[in-house]
Coordinates of all heavy atoms in Angstrom, one line a residue:
I201 N -12.5 -5.1 -32.6 CA -12.1 -6.2 -33.5 C -11.0 -5.6 -34.4 O -9.9 -6.3 -34.6 CB -13.2 -6.7 -34.3 CG1 -14.2 -7.4 -33.4 CG2 -12.7 -7.7 -35.3 CD1 -15.5 -7.8 -34.1
V202 N -11.2 -4.5 -35.0 CA -10.2 -3.9 -35.9 C -8.9 -3.6 -35.2 O -7.8 -3.9 -35.8 CB -10.8 -2.7 -36.6 CG1 -9.7 -2.0 -37.4 CG2 -12.0 -3.0 -37.5
K203 N -9.0 -3.0 -34.0 CA -7.7 -2.8 -33.3 C -6.9 -4.1 -33.1 O -5.7 -4.1 -33.1 CB -8.1 -2.1 -31.9 CG -8.5 -0.7 -32.0 CD -8.7 -0.1 -30.6 CE -9.2 1.4 -30.7 NZ -8.2 2.3 -31.2
I205 N -7.2 -6.8 -35.0 CA -6.7 -7.3 -36.3 C -5.5 -6.6 -36.8 O -4.6 -7.2 -37.4 CB -7.9 -7.2 -37.3 CG1 -9.0 -8.2 -37.0 CG2 -7.4 -7.4 -38.8 CD1 -10.2 -8.0 -37.9
T206 N -5.4 -5.3 -36.4 CA -4.2 -4.5 -36.9 C -2.9 -5.1 -36.2 O -1.8 -4.8 -36.7 CB -4.3 -3.0 -36.5 OG1 -4.5 -2.9 -35.1 CG2 -5.5 -2.4 -37.2
Q207 N -3.0 -5.9 -35.2 CA -1.8 -6.5 -34.5 C -1.4 -7.8 -35.2 O -0.3 -8.3 -34.9 CB -2.1 -6.8 -33.1 CG -2.7 -5.6 -32.3 CD -1.7 -4.5 -32.1 OE1 -0.5 -4.7 -31.9 NE2 -2.1 -3.3 -32.3
K213 N -4.3 -10.4 -41.5 CA -5.0 -9.2 -41.4 C -5.9 -9.0 -42.7 O -7.1 -8.7 -42.6 CB -4.1 -8.0 -41.4 CG -4.7 -6.6 -41.1 CD -3.7 -5.5 -41.3 CE -2.5 -5.7 -40.4 NZ -1.6 -4.5 -40.5
L217 N -10.1 -8.9 -42.0 CA -10.7 -7.5 -42.0 C -12.0 -7.4 -42.8 O -12.9 -6.7 -42.4 CB -9.6 -6.6 -42.5 CG -9.8 -5.1 -42.3 CD1 -10.1 -4.8 -40.9 CD2 -8.7 -4.3 -42.9
V220 N -15.6 -7.5 -41.2 CA -15.9 -6.4 -40.2 C -16.3 -5.2 -41.0 O -17.3 -4.5 -40.7 CB -14.7 -6.1 -39.3 CG1 -15.1 -5.1 -38.3 CG2 -14.1 -7.4 -38.7
L221 N -15.5 -4.9 -42.0 CA -15.8 -3.7 -42.9 C -17.1 -3.8 -43.6 O -17.9 -2.9 -43.7 CB -14.7 -3.4 -43.9 CG -13.3 -3.0 -43.3 CD1 -12.3 -2.8 -44.4 CD2 -13.5 -1.7 -42.5
L243 N -17.0 3.9 -38.8 CA -16.1 3.6 -39.9 C -15.0 4.6 -40.0 O -13.8 4.3 -40.4 CB -16.9 3.7 -41.2 CG -16.3 3.2 -42.5 CD1 -15.9 1.8 -42.4 CD2 -17.2 3.5 -43.7
S244 N -15.2 5.9 -39.5 CA -14.2 6.9 -39.5 C -13.1 6.5 -38.5 O -11.9 6.6 -38.8 CB -14.8 8.2 -39.1 OG -13.8 9.2 -39.1
V245 N -13.5 6.0 -37.3 CA -12.5 5.6 -36.3 C -11.7 4.4 -36.8 O -10.5 4.3 -36.7 CB -13.2 5.2 -35.0 CG1 -12.2 4.6 -34.0 CG2 -13.9 6.4 -34.4
I246 N -12.4 3.4 -37.5 CA -11.7 2.3 -38.0 C -10.7 2.7 -39.1 O -9.6 2.2 -39.2 CB -12.7 1.3 -38.6 CG1 -13.5 0.6 -37.5 CG2 -12.1 0.2 -39.5 CD1 -14.6 -0.3 -37.9
A247 N -11.1 3.6 -40.0 CA -10.2 4.1 -41.1 C -8.9 4.7 -40.5 O -7.8 4.5 -41.0 CB -10.9 5.1 -42.0
K248 N -9.1 5.4 -39.4 CA -7.9 6.0 -38.8 C -7.0 5.0 -38.2 O -5.8 5.0 -38.3 CB -8.3 7.0 -37.7 CG -8.7 8.4 -38.2 CD -8.8 9.4 -37.0 CE -9.0 10.8 -37.5 NZ -9.1 11.8 -36.4
D249 N -7.6 3.9 -37.6 CA -6.8 2.9 -37.0 C -6.0 2.1 -38.1 O -4.9 1.7 -37.9 CB -7.7 1.9 -36.2 CG -8.2 2.5 -34.9 OD1 -7.5 3.4 -34.4 OD2 -9.2 2.0 -34.3
L250 N -6.7 1.9 -39.2 CA -6.1 1.1 -40.3 C -5.0 1.9 -41.0 O -4.0 1.4 -41.6 CB -7.1 0.6 -41.3 CG -8.1 -0.4 -40.7 CD1 -9.2 -0.7 -41.7 CD2 -7.4 -1.7 -40.4
G251 N -5.2 3.2 -41.1 CA -4.2 4.1 -41.8 C -4.5 4.2 -43.3 O -5.4 3.5 -43.9
P252 N -3.7 5.0 -44.0 CA -4.0 5.3 -45.4 C -3.9 4.1 -46.4 O -4.6 4.1 -47.4 CB -2.8 6.3 -45.8 CG -2.4 6.8 -44.5 CD -2.6 5.8 -43.5
L253 N -3.1 3.1 -46.0 CA -2.9 1.9 -46.8 C -4.3 1.2 -47.1 O -4.4 0.6 -48.2 CB -2.0 0.9 -46.2 CG -1.5 -0.2 -47.0 CD1 -0.7 0.3 -48.2 CD2 -0.6 -1.2 -46.2
F254 N -5.2 1.3 -46.2 CA -6.5 0.6 -46.4 C -7.6 1.5 -46.8 O -8.8 1.0 -46.9 CB -6.9 -0.1 -45.1 CG -6.1 -1.4 -44.8 CD1 -4.9 -1.3 -44.1 CD2 -6.5 -2.6 -45.2 CE1 -4.1 -2.5 -43.9 CE2 -5.8 -3.8 -45.0 CZ -4.6 -3.7 -44.3
F255 N -7.3 2.8 -47.0 CA -8.4 3.7 -47.4 C -9.1 3.3 -48.7 O -10.3 3.4 -48.8 CB -7.9 5.1 -47.5 CG -9.0 6.1 -47.6 CD1 -9.7 6.5 -46.4 CD2 -9.3 6.7 -48.8 CE1 -10.7 7.4 -46.5 CE2 -10.3 7.7 -48.9 CZ -11.0 8.0 -47.7
Y257 N -9.4 0.3 -49.9 CA -10.2 -0.8 -49.7 C -11.6 -0.5 -49.1 O -12.6 -1.0 -49.4 CB -9.5 -1.8 -48.8 CG -10.2 -3.1 -48.6 CD1 -10.3 -4.1 -49.6 CD2 -11.0 -3.4 -47.5 CE1 -11.0 -5.3 -49.5 CE2 -11.7 -4.5 -47.3 CZ -11.7 -5.5 -48.3 OH -12.4 -6.6 -48.1
I258 N -11.5 0.5 -48.1 CA -12.8 1.0 -47.5 C -13.7 1.6 -48.5 O -14.9 1.4 -48.5 CB -12.4 1.9 -46.4 CG1 -11.7 1.2 -45.2 CG2 -13.7 2.6 -45.8 CD1 -11.2 2.1 -44.1
Q286 N -9.9 12.0 -42.0 CA -8.6 11.3 -42.1 C -7.4 12.2 -42.3 O -6.3 11.9 -42.0 CB -8.7 10.2 -43.2 CG -9.8 9.2 -43.1 CD -9.9 8.6 -41.7 OE1 -8.9 8.1 -41.2 NE2 -11.0 8.7 -41.1

Side-chain angles (χ1 to χ4, degrees):
I201 294 173
V202 172
K203 285 183 182 294
I205 289 175
T206 57
Q207 308 294 317
K213 188 189 302 182
L217 196 55
V220 189
L221 291 179
L243 192 60
S244 182
V245 173
I246 287 173
K248 276 191 174 182
D249 287 339
L250 291 174
L253 189 62
F254 284 87
F255 191 77
Y257 184 78
I258 292 174
Q286 302 313 304

